[in-house]
């Protein structure tokens, strides 16, 4: 278990997730340390170009490291795609919400021979 400065235990989320993010943020942006940054990149197994590593703007390097390590946009897109219904199902749900009378009529017609 890890203790904070006050001697109390850190929550697991802070210990395992936030602490790693803070280390990257500190090594790349706040107190730029080339050796620490390269060590983090190696330990995470990231493929970051030398151009992005040695860019004069540290935000470019930070975005490259964080984007390679925690690719948020693809993860969000996969999550949205897996949770949204397919287009036909979504269409029928919208129709029932927007115009319930028409939806009921179409349902009755679908059952007629």
């Amino acid at each position: 278990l890890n203790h904070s400065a006050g001697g109390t235990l850190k929550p697991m989320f802070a210990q395992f997730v936030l602490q790693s993010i803070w280390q990257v943020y500190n090594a790349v942006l706040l107190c730029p340390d080339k050796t620490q940054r390269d060590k983090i990149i190696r330990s995470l197994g990231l493929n970051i170009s030398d151009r992005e590593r040695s860019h004069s703007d540290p935000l470019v390097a930070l975005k490259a490291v964080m984007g390679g390590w925690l690719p948020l946009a693809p993860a969000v897109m996969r999550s949205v795609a897996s949770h949204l219904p397919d287009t036909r199902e979504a269409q029928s749900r919208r129709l029932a919400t927007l115009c319930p009378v028409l939806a009921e009529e179409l349902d009755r017609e679908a059952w007629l021979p």
Side-chain angles (χ1 to χ4, degrees):
L1 296 174
N2 208 350
H3 292 276
S4 66
T8 59
L9 295 176
K10 288 184 183 178
M12 288 178 61
F13 181 77
Q15 182 179 353
F16 296 116
V17 177
L18 293 179
Q19 189 171 3
S20 301
I21 293 172
W22 290 328
Q23 287 175 349
V24 170
Y25 194 81
N26 192 32
V28 176
L29 191 65
L30 296 179
C31 303
D33 183 7
K34 187 176 181 178
T35 57
Q36 183 68 20
R37 179 196 66 204
D38 292 340
K39 180 181 173 185
I40 290 171
I41 290 171
R42 274 193 315 275
S43 69
L44 294 173
L46 302 176
N47 292 326
I48 297 176
S49 68
D50 292 333
R51 180 179 180 194
E52 290 174 326
R53 283 185 194 193
S54 60
H55 199 277
S56 61
D57 185 8
L59 280 174
V60 173
L62 181 66
K63 286 180 183 180
V65 172
M66 296 302 280
W69 179 35
L70 302 169
L72 185 61
V76 169
M77 184 59 81
R78 280 192 304 270
S79 178
V80 167
S82 68
H83 285 83
L84 286 180
D86 66 341
T87 54
R88 288 185 185 202
E89 184 181 340
Q91 179 81 19
S92 65
R93 286 183 186 179
R94 281 193 302 269
L95 182 63
T97 302
L98 295 174
C99 189
V101 175
L102 182 61
E104 287 176 12
E105 186 177 316
L106 290 174
D107 282 342
R108 273 182 283 171
E109 288 177 8
W111 292 105
L112 293 176

